[in-house]
Amino acid sequence: MTRSRTAAPTPVPRTASTAVAVVLTALLTACAANGAPATTARSVPQTAARATVQASAQASAQAAAKPVRVPAGVTAGYSVVDLTTGKTVAQHLAHHRFRSASVVKILIATDYLERHRSAIPARDRALLTPMLRGSDDDAATALWRRGGQGEIVRRMARRIGLSETSPPPAAKPGFWGYTAISAADIALVYRYLLKRAEPRVRDFVLGNLRQAWRCASDGFDQHFGIPRAVPRPWAIKQGWSGFGSVPPVRCARAKAASYRIGPVTMGREPVDFGRPVLHTTGVISDRLIMVVLTLQPSGASFTKSAERVTKLARDLYLSVT
């Protein structure tokens, strides 16, 4: 029969035990000096270890939270939502209002589909598809007029709960690109499509945005920002205005846009209708919503503006992944 024995403790070197004693004494002395209750010798190392881990975690989080620099001369509002947690993981001037340019076409399409529950007629599909994939302005104007112009925006704002989105000024009812939006509101629009909209609405809108053309109907290259900065898959809706009707480098034959932007004022928070705007918005890998809205410097070129927005989108993506 084997006799049970208690293993003899391993001797602790004098130098190590002395160091531990010094640390414990210092900690106990500090607690007593601060009026804190005495802590047992056993709990002090555990408390100190927890504090060390917490401090290390905080330091790591601070190191990882790299700020995203907005280019000089650019006013940017952005919002990034993690669809796994539902939390906004990055934002800057997310409630600042910008003129929408073509981003409002998401609302035009969603409103149409929610008001027409039957199969989409071929003539309407011929408007909706190029409007979403190629940002076609003529198609948007036709659907805008048929939907009641600013009433489209009011209906969608009520349905989704958009607090900073409003129709164009009363003096410019036909100018759908004068709709006021914010990054936070457009992030809500994408969340609505992904989580709350009927499957037929979600699939049609996002399905077309996943097939966004490289060359827009007006000849501008709309693969800036998200599509150039992050890996596929993505579904995008871009917006640009104030760069004239002729692109610097035409990537396809297309009818020149007749839609023009001029100086206009509207109520609530002022919306700048003079400076060029360039927006990139969309869903990335069904995991992130990214909305980047920008006002570019007066007189800025489309090419340089696209480079700035692409870099901003790339930096923003890298900061949250």
Side-chain angles (χ1 to χ4, degrees):
M1 182 174 69
T2 302
R3 182 179 298 175
S4 64
R5 297 180 180 180
T6 303
T10 302
V12 178
R14 180 177 181 81
T15 55
S17 60
T18 302
V20 170
V22 171
V23 171
L24 293 179
T25 302
L27 288 171
L28 291 170
T29 302
C31 290
N34 291 326
T39 307
T40 64
R42 181 180 180 182
S43 65
V44 169
Q46 294 174 348
T47 303
R50 282 196 298 270
T52 301
V53 170
Q54 291 172 354
S56 177
Q58 290 174 354
S60 298
Q62 290 172 354
K66 297 178 181 178
V68 176
R69 189 182 72 84
V70 175
V74 173
T75 302
Y78 60 72
S79 179
V80 180
V81 177
D82 184 330
L83 289 167
T84 304
T85 63
K87 295 181 179 180
T88 299
V89 292
Q91 62 179 339
H92 173 74
L93 295 180
H95 300 283
H96 185 87
R97 297 185 355 133
F98 296 79
R99 73 178 186 272
S100 69
S102 292
V103 175
V104 73
K105 292 168 184 172
I106 305 175
L107 297 181
I108 296 173
T110 304
D111 177 76
Y112 171 92
L113 293 167
E114 293 191 336
R115 288 186 297 107
H116 298 80
R117 297 184 172 276
S118 57
I120 304 172
R123 66 185 181 90
D124 291 351
R125 188 179 291 272
L127 295 174
L128 290 162
T129 299
M131 181 183 73
L132 291 172
R133 297 187 189 185
S135 204
D136 191 277
D137 291 343
D138 292 338
T141 297
L143 292 166
W144 177 257
R145 290 171 178 167
R146 284 168 47 186
Q149 301 187 131
E151 286 304 313
I152 294 173
V153 178
R154 294 186 184 93
R155 284 192 295 265
M156 295 310 300
R158 287 193 299 268
R159 181 180 290 270
I160 300 175
L162 309 176
S163 58
E164 287 126 16
T165 299
S166 58
K172 301 287 183 180
F175 282 55
W176 38 262
Y178 276 14
T179 297
I181 61 172
S182 69
D185 271 5
I186 297 303
L188 282 176
V189 172
Y190 281 110
R191 293 183 75 161
Y192 174 81
L193 287 169
L194 288 164
K195 304 294 186 181
R196 295 168 51 197
E198 295 179 26
R200 66 180 185 85
V201 176
R202 177 195 65 219
D203 294 345
F204 186 89
V205 175
L206 293 179
N208 277 291
L209 297 186
R210 288 189 181 98
Q211 300 180 66
W213 302 336
R214 168 70 180 267
C215 301
S217 296
D218 62 2
F220 280 84
D221 184 342
Q222 63 173 350
H223 273 200
F224 57 84
I226 291 172
R228 194 162 290 171
V230 308
R232 287 179 183 268
W234 35 251
I236 58 163
K237 186 68 205 78
Q238 313 284 68
W240 60 94
S241 177
F243 299 100
S245 59
V246 179
V249 178
R250 197 173 188 83
C251 64
R253 295 187 62 185
K255 182 180 178 181
S258 59
Y259 178 66
R260 296 180 180 277
I261 294 292
V264 177
T265 58
M266 64 190 302
R268 298 180 63 186
E269 181 186 340
V271 177
D272 191 323
F273 292 94
R275 285 167 59 187
V277 296
L278 201 66
H279 309 322
T280 184
T281 78
V283 180
I284 303 169
S285 301
D286 290 331
R287 188 174 64 85
L288 292 174
I289 294 170
M290 180 183 289
V291 180
V292 180
L293 310 180
T294 71
L295 272 171
Q296 297 292 320
S298 297
S301 72
F302 180 85
T303 301
K304 289 296 183 183
S305 298
E307 290 174 359
R308 285 188 285 264
V309 171
T310 298
K311 185 178 187 308
L312 181 55
R314 181 183 297 116
D315 291 347
L316 190 53
Y317 178 75
L318 292 174
S319 75
V320 299
T321 55

